[in-house]
């Protein structure tokens, strides 16, 4: 039944059925958690808690989307992560924490005046972090396994984990704020001195990133695992587990600080939580800059083959240049052109990360098919996007030469030397402006290889001052010519030419 072609195997591989089952599970969890929270807070308390809990959510999501600007994740992934945190993870935590509290009450001497307080403190410090972080980590694990193409590194793990924790904190805030409002109504408190105002200040103003910070540690672990090569199996398993335990420890320290009194809480907040938040922010920004450098290095292969123009790897590796290119296309040719530039940027970024996964041996058997699809989409938008990106490259300083990344042992991405359109390569006019060159390469002391490029800036009517270029061996008026085959490195496997053409002009991939 589970073998190839088996009944259960066909059901498991049916994506529509899996999506329907997952949507049904999340919807059922949402209805149950809604009923449980409303039962504890009442209708009025629930509405007040909902109105206050939703306030920090747009800001937190906007921060994570800003961090994810290099390679934005599909909205369906983020919606799933938020829904899992808000519904499934919260339901699991609420039920498990309730059973744990009852078990602690039977273990701790409930006859003592502090019996209930001790049980609550032990549950919040030791049991709640384990249950809640495990429930939130499940969403990161599912996206890591079933949306592997969208999971490329540390930034992706932090964003997915942060969005999941934001959903969890949203539902939890409804419960806490609604209960505080009911308490204020009973005791007659109101205004800024009320329990509701104090709860909102602590959870939504002082620590809106508390839950995202804890779960982001788990995301860091899965991000490191996603960036590991195929042969680093121990690293890909142990690091996510170690970072999940780190998230639990951070969560336990945070919950335990509430038992230290006001000054103890502030000391833990200032000396422990704020530095950890700053360290995570720095690590994420550093990883994002590394992703931009990866884009420049990996796209250089396609530039050398003629798929991209020389300014593009430089422009696509700069967030500022990307924005300039979109704005320039919008001012010159309208919204549709700006959208085409944005799509071109997204496809080029996916192509760079796909090739990096191929170097690490984790691209999967569909690497060539996916590469062809991305090159097709780039080729369809090149006339609009390439001139805008070439102009935007003027705003980017030249990077310092670096050694290109070497493939993981035993792996070699195919095609290693992709044949470009019309044989690849470009010839450049010097124009009337400035010019510069840039190149890099790598190799062993024996046979190696390297490449570089240079171009000058001249005037063109479409976008003003920009590089002027023309393909080598442009196709004749009545059809494409046979692509010129570049020679692979001497120490690589003998390439075979694919018979499948793609893109106008019929460039072929080298498999």
């Amino acid at each position: 039944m589970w073998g190839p072609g088996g009944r259960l195997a066909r059901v498991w591989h049916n994506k529509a059925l899996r999506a329907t089952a997952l949507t049904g599970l999340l919807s059922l969890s949402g209805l149950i958690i809604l009923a449980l929270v409303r039962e504890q807070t009442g209708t009025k308390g629930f509405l007040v808690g909902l109105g206050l809990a939703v306030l920090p959510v747009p800001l937190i999501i906007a921060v994570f989307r800003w961090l994810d600007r290099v390679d934005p994740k599909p909205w369906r992934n983020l919606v799933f992560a938020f829904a899992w945190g808000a519904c499934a993870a919260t339901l699991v935590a609420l039920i498990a924490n309730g059973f744990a509290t009852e078990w602690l009450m039977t273990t701790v001497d409930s006859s003592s005046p502090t019996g209930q307080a001790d049980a609550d403190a032990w549950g919040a410090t030791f049991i709640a972090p384990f249950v809640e972080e495990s429930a939130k980590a499940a969403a990161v694990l599912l996206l890591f396994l079933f949306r592997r193409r969208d999971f490329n590194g540390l930034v992706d793990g932090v964003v997915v984990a942060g969005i999941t924790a934001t959903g969890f904190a949203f539902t939890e805030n409804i419960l806490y704020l609604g209960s505080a409002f009911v308490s204020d109504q009973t005791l007659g408190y109101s205004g800024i001195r009320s329990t509701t105002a104090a709860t909102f200040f602590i959870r939504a103003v002082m620590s809106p990133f508390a839950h995202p910070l804890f779960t982001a540690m788990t995301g860091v672990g899965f991000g490191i695992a996603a960036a590991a090569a195929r042969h680093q199996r121990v690293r890909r398993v142990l690091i996510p587990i170690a970072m999940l335990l780190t998230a639990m420890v951070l969560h336990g320290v945070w919950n335990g600080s509430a038992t230290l009194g006001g000054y103890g809480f502030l000391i833990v907040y200032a000396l422990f939580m704020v530095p950890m938040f700053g360290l995570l922010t720095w690590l994420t920004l550093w990883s994002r800059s590394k992703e931009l450098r990866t884009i420049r290095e990996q796209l250089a292969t396609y530039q050398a083959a003629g798929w991209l123009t020389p300014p593009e790897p430089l422009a696509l590796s700069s967030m500022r240049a990307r924005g300039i290119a979109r704005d320039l296309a919008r001012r010159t040719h309208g919204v549709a052109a700006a959208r085409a530039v944005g799509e071109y940027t997204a496809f080029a970024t996916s192509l760079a990360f796909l090739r990096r996964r191929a170097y690490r041996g984790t691209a999967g058997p569909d690497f060539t098919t996916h590469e062809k699809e991305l090159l097709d989409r780039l080729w369809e938008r090149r006339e609009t996007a390439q001139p805008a990106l070439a102009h935007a490259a003027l705003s980017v300083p030249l990077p310092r030469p670096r050694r290109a990344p070497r493939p993981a042992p035993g792996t070699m991405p195919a095609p290693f030397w992709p044949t470009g359109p019309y044989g690849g390569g470009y010839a450049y006019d010097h124009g009337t402006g400035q010019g510069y060159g840039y190149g890099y390469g790598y190799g062993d002391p024996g046979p190696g290889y390297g490449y570089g490029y240079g171009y000058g800036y001249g005037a063109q009517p479409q976008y003003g001052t920009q590089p002027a270029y023309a393909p080598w061996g442009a196709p004749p008026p009545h059809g494409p010519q046979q692509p010129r085959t570049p020679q692979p490195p001497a120490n690589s496997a003998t390439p075979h030419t694919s018979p499948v053409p793609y893109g106008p002009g019929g460039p072929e991939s080298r498999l």
Side-chain angles (χ1 to χ4, degrees):
M1 295 180 68
W2 283 101
R7 185 178 305 171
L8 293 179
R10 289 197 303 269
V11 171
W12 174 255
H13 291 292
N14 189 323
K15 293 183 179 180
L17 185 60
R18 288 207 310 258
T20 302
L22 188 60
T23 302
L25 174 63
L26 292 177
S27 301
L28 180 61
S29 301
L31 292 175
I32 295 175
I33 198 68
L34 175 65
L36 292 176
V37 173
R38 183 180 174 277
E39 180 182 358
Q40 295 190 33
T41 62
T43 302
K44 192 173 182 180
F46 172 79
L47 294 177
V48 172
L50 176 63
L52 294 176
V54 78
L55 293 179
V57 171
L59 173 62
I60 300 174
I61 293 180
V63 169
F64 284 112
R65 288 294 289 176
W66 178 81
L67 291 174
D68 198 34
R69 288 191 306 161
V70 175
D71 184 29
K73 297 295 147 293
W75 274 106
R76 63 177 181 272
N77 292 2
L78 302 183
V79 169
F80 162 76
F82 186 89
W84 182 277
C87 300
T90 312
L91 179 61
V92 170
L94 192 62
I95 295 175
N97 288 341
F99 282 114
T101 302
E102 293 181 3
W103 175 78
L104 285 173
M105 285 299 298
T106 61
T107 305
V108 179
D109 185 8
S110 58
S111 61
S112 63
T114 60
Q116 178 67 42
D118 291 342
D120 292 340
W122 279 80
T125 305
F126 296 102
I127 295 178
F130 175 81
V131 173
E132 295 176 6
E133 294 306 322
S134 299
K136 289 181 286 184
V140 187
L141 176 62
L142 289 174
L143 289 174
F144 179 82
L145 294 177
F146 295 101
R147 288 292 183 266
R148 188 65 182 82
R149 184 178 294 180
D150 302 323
F151 214 117
N152 296 302
L154 188 145
V155 175
D156 298 332
V158 170
V159 170
V160 169
I163 295 294
T164 304
T166 302
F168 185 93
F170 167 69
T171 303
E172 193 178 59
N173 285 343
I174 295 176
L175 178 60
Y176 278 101
L177 292 168
S179 300
F181 177 78
V182 172
S183 176
D184 288 337
Q185 292 293 100
T186 303
L187 300 175
Y189 296 149
S190 62
I192 196 172
R193 296 185 177 181
S194 64
T195 307
T196 305
T199 304
F200 179 81
F201 178 77
I202 293 175
R203 299 188 63 86
V205 178
M206 284 189 65
S207 58
F209 289 95
H211 272 289
L213 173 63
F214 309 145
T215 314
M217 295 300 167
T218 305
V220 169
F222 279 99
I224 295 175
R230 183 181 296 274
H231 67 280
Q232 297 173 322
R233 297 178 181 176
V234 176
R235 177 181 177 183
R236 297 172 67 186
V237 174
L238 294 184
I239 289 183
I241 296 176
M243 296 308 295
L244 174 60
L245 295 177
T246 304
M248 294 176 182
V249 171
L250 287 177
H251 198 158
V253 170
W254 174 256
N255 287 357
S257 66
T259 63
L260 301 177
Y263 290 107
F265 170 79
L266 292 177
I267 290 174
V268 171
Y269 179 82
L271 300 182
F272 188 72
M273 302 304 295
V274 172
M276 288 299 301
F277 179 76
L279 178 62
L280 178 65
T281 303
W282 173 84
L283 182 63
T284 306
L285 294 177
W286 172 82
S287 181
R288 193 177 75 169
S289 66
K290 189 176 179 181
E291 288 185 343
L292 292 171
R293 186 168 63 246
T294 297
I295 292 172
R296 183 176 68 248
E297 294 172 349
Q298 297 295 342
L299 291 183
T301 301
Y302 297 97
Q303 177 270 317
W307 283 102
L308 306 177
T309 59
E312 288 180 72
L314 191 62
L316 291 168
S317 64
S318 168
M319 300 306 300
R320 178 186 178 191
R322 290 182 177 196
I324 291 175
R326 288 193 300 270
D327 292 341
L328 180 61
R330 182 182 297 107
R331 292 196 306 267
T332 309
H333 297 292
V335 177
R339 186 183 305 112
V341 172
E343 293 171 350
Y344 188 93
T345 300
F347 294 139
T349 302
S350 298
L351 183 64
F353 289 149
L354 176 67
R355 190 168 185 84
R356 184 180 65 173
R357 291 200 302 272
Y359 270 98
R360 294 168 175 167
T362 59
D366 62 340
F367 167 75
T368 303
T369 302
H370 191 202
E371 183 193 44
K372 288 180 179 180
E373 293 175 356
L374 293 173
L375 288 173
D376 274 340
R377 294 172 180 178
L378 289 178
W379 193 257
E380 293 168 357
R381 297 161 176 83
R382 71 192 187 283
E383 294 182 357
T384 301
Q386 287 182 346
L389 288 168
H391 185 94
L394 292 170
S395 64
V396 183
L398 282 177
R400 300 174 65 180
R402 291 174 48 87
R403 291 177 63 87
R406 297 185 65 84
T411 64
M412 186 66 70
F416 195 71
W417 285 98
T419 300
Y422 318 126
Y426 287 91
Y428 301 90
D429 297 331
H430 290 287
T432 59
Q434 59 180 342
Y436 61 88
Y438 166 62
Y440 58 89
Y442 66 88
D444 293 325
Y449 61 91
Y451 51 87
Y453 59 80
Y455 54 94
Y457 291 101
Q460 273 195 2
Q462 188 176 14
Y463 290 109
T465 303
Q466 59 175 324
Y469 54 85
W472 281 347
H478 300 292
Q481 66 180 20
Q482 183 67 22
R484 179 174 60 85
T485 303
Q487 295 299 321
N491 58 351
S492 67
T494 303
H496 301 281
T497 304
S498 168
V500 183
Y502 51 98
E508 295 182 350
S509 174
R510 298 186 58 79
L511 305 182

